[in-house]
Amino acid sequence: LLIGGGRRNAARPPPGRKQAALRSTRVAARPRREMPWGLALVAVVAAGQVSFSKHPQPRGGHTDASRKHIDVSNRSTGGLRRPTRSCGHISHVAVGADSHQTPGLAPLVWSIFSSSRSPHCIHVHAFYCEAEPSLQSREAIRRVGVEITIHVVDLERFPLLHNLSNSSAMNLVRFYLPELLPEAASSVLWLDTDIIVRSDVHELLSKLFVGANRSKSLAAVARKKELRTITRYRPSKLGVLNVSTVLRGDAFNAGLIAFNLQQWRAQNLTQRVEALVPALQEIGLASYAGISLPGGMRAAPSSQVPLQLLFGHDFQRLDSCWNVGGLGTSWGQGELLPLRVWAKQIAAWWTGKVARGCALHWSGGDKPWSGHNPFAPQYYKPVRKAAIRAGYGEIFPGTLAHDGSDYYLPWLLRIVAIFVAAPSALFLVVALRRPGSGALRAELVPQSPSRGHSVSLE
């Protein structure tokens, strides 16, 4: 009713004589104005209530984790489809988290297995740098019936991880995957904990680093902007590192990235990264604005900067659906209104990238487990609930610490905002369209001069 009633019906019968006589006695006819549809639409979108499913499903054998066609009650198989064919190779997937990031582990790992047609062909490696996995976690892995290995990283063993906090160390542990994973692993897919997978990673990894891309060491989703535009680095400052030419290459996000472990071991790329990171810190280019780091930009070097400067545009391109980022865009402290968050929601609905996403990435400061992310109720919370029902919350106990009950409060406030702000806006529009009496009436409705009176223009 709020949005649908602005234009008068053209088929309405003409008024009778009595009504026409009453209207003729008015001082001036009120001009017709259209209802400001944009105001009402912006009010609804700003409240975060727009959720249309007019877009197709993701590409690549997608299995929507938010739907209930996956039997998550079957604890013997972990809520997964039983294998229908044998796998030609084992796909290795690596994730890492500290105590602050463990709420995202169970939804992430469950989405990896549940979205695959061959979950028995996937081996997930979870990296910690704190305590050994408990007996309860090991028993839960056995009951779920999937391949999950929990690794505890010794920070003193690796040069880049010395004197770093657990959060910062887990950000750089991906550089040591060639040493931490078995020699039989030829490739690995690294996923940040703020990602939900909605397509088959086994099928993705089977197509990487083959044919013309056999010599590539990296695979990622390329961004539309160049690296120099995002980082704002000056070539003269990077000239001492002999990497200034890569600024013309495509930028990429390292939250979802695949490593060709055979090339990394053969070319000793980990050693090159170990030499590049301290050099970047010396010239103050260890990070750049827009990267969300644990503890802030100056707390630790970024894992994304050395990867982009080391490889430039020499990496295999993944389909853009495999890293739909920006879902964690937060309300900045200096912003009067969350305009960037609203713009992200409108763009997500208009383009349909989130609905078609193979992997949704909450890059930014507002993580999906924070309790007030606008995309979490639709895309994250159902996955989290299914992961707990399937027993993954017992494998990663940090997930159970956040029960998700605070999801309802922000969305309840948004609903209340609709019922308060929308009628107020409608009342304001109607008040402006209907002139009052006295001075306001004289100002809004110009009067024609009466007969017999002269009008002076002086």
Side-chain angles (χ1 to χ4, degrees), residues 38-301:
L39 178 62
L41 180 60
V42 168
V44 176
V45 173
Q49 299 299 318
V50 175
S51 176
F52 302 121
S53 57
K54 67 183 183 67
H55 301 285
Q57 296 297 332
R59 293 159 282 182
H62 162 66
T63 302
D64 194 348
S66 64
R67 298 190 178 184
K68 296 183 179 180
H69 65 274
I70 300 176
D71 183 14
V72 297
S73 62
N74 188 354
R75 299 294 295 273
S76 61
T77 60
L80 308 173
R81 293 179 177 179
R82 295 186 179 274
T84 57
R85 58 184 177 85
S86 60
C87 52
H89 69 284
I90 298 297
S91 298
H92 296 271
V93 181
V95 299
D98 66 329
S99 58
H100 301 287
Q101 300 168 337
T102 49
L105 275 179
L108 168 60
V109 176
W110 182 86
S111 66
I112 292 172
F113 287 110
S114 63
S115 300
S116 176
R117 297 177 181 176
S118 305
H120 60 292
C121 301
I122 299 175
H123 190 170
V124 173
H125 303 266
F127 293 93
Y128 288 96
C129 54
E130 296 174 347
E132 291 283 343
S134 62
L135 181 61
Q136 179 184 3
S137 298
R138 299 182 186 275
E139 290 293 330
I141 294 176
R142 184 185 60 83
R143 289 195 303 268
V144 169
V146 292
E147 288 292 334
I148 299 176
T149 303
I150 298 179
H151 306 263
V152 179
V153 182
D154 183 10
L155 302 184
E156 299 298 328
R157 175 185 170 187
F158 305 104
L160 289 181
L161 308 183
H162 289 173
N163 302 322
L164 291 180
S165 64
N166 293 338
S167 299
S168 302
M170 295 311 302
N171 189 36
L172 302 179
V173 75
R174 68 194 73 186
F175 295 140
Y176 296 101
L177 292 178
E179 302 180 34
L180 294 172
L181 295 180
E183 291 290 336
S186 59
S187 62
V188 62
L189 178 67
W190 173 272
L191 297 171
D192 285 351
T193 54
D194 55 355
I195 290 178
I196 291 297
V197 177
R198 306 172 72 232
S199 192
D200 196 342
V201 297
H202 177 69
E203 181 180 351
L204 172 68
L205 286 170
S206 64
K207 300 178 181 179
L208 297 182
F209 312 124
V210 294
N213 296 310
R214 185 180 300 273
S215 61
K216 301 292 184 182
S217 303
L218 207 67
V221 175
R223 292 182 175 179
K224 296 181 179 180
K225 296 181 180 180
E226 290 186 343
L227 181 59
R228 62 177 179 177
T229 304
I230 296 179
T231 60
R232 299 181 182 178
Y233 288 168
R234 297 180 180 179
S236 59
K237 204 167 185 178
L238 291 175
V240 296
L241 304 176
N242 297 324
V243 292
S244 58
T245 56
V246 303
L247 290 179
R248 289 187 170 273
D250 298 330
F252 57 83
N253 181 272
L256 187 148
I257 192 168
F259 296 92
N260 187 345
L261 298 181
Q262 293 179 344
Q263 291 293 327
W264 275 73
R265 293 163 181 153
Q267 302 179 22
N268 294 324
L269 295 179
T270 300
Q271 286 71 19
R272 295 176 59 183
V273 173
E274 290 177 344
L276 181 60
V277 170
L280 290 171
Q281 288 181 299
E282 291 180 1
I283 61 178
L285 298 181
S287 182
Y288 56 86
I291 297 181
S292 58
L293 291 175
M297 289 181 55
R298 298 184 180 181

